[in-house]
Amino acid sequence: MNKLVILAAAALIGAAGLASAQDTLATADAFGTIPVQEDNQLIVLPLVTATADGEVQIRRITGENEGEVLATAPITAGANEDVRITLIRPANASAVLAVLVVGGVDVASAEVQLAPVGGTD
């Protein structure tokens, strides 16, 4: 019986901590630190926080089609971890722009560095 009470209390504490962490992180629309992407077709954003439901758009930031949306992913209000976005068009660039869009308005952005194509031999 005591084990059951302890497990229930631990579960409640863990759930309360998760809820308060998400509430804290959701006070601003923002991107966490984004590492250089090793796969130029898959963008992984470790943390995206949003005050409301929306989407992340990956946009071209160089060349003739600057601003072109290369891919999107839905996000929910609060903390969104490991947001994975597969590009539907190749970036053909060393960086792209991740833009958080809420209610049709750009509310946050971050440059995402892409690994060099082909690398060095």
Side-chain angles (χ1 to χ4, degrees):
M1 179 70 168
N2 284 341
K3 287 182 183 179
L4 182 60
V5 171
I6 292 170
L7 288 174
L12 285 173
I13 291 169
L18 178 62
S20 62
Q22 188 172 15
D23 291 343
T24 301
L25 294 174
T27 59
D29 297 308
F31 292 94
T33 302
I34 304 170
V36 173
Q37 302 296 297
E38 296 301 321
D39 180 344
N40 289 337
Q41 287 299 113
L42 176 67
I43 306 295
V44 179
L45 305 173
L47 180 64
V48 180
T49 57
T51 55
D53 293 350
E55 71 177 6
V56 173
Q57 296 180 352
I58 302 299
R59 298 180 186 168
R60 187 180 311 278
I61 56 174
T62 59
E64 188 176 305
N65 296 320
E66 187 172 331
E68 174 188 17
V69 176
L70 303 172
T72 64
I75 53 99
T76 58
N80 297 265
E81 295 180 347
D82 293 324
V83 176
R84 302 170 81 75
I85 307 166
T86 301
L87 300 182
I88 55 176
R89 293 181 190 85
N92 297 328
S94 61
V96 292
L97 189 66
V99 180
L100 178 57
V101 180
V102 174
V105 176
D106 297 358
V107 295
S109 65
E111 189 170 304
V112 179
Q113 296 297 314
L114 304 176
V117 177
T120 58
D121 291 327

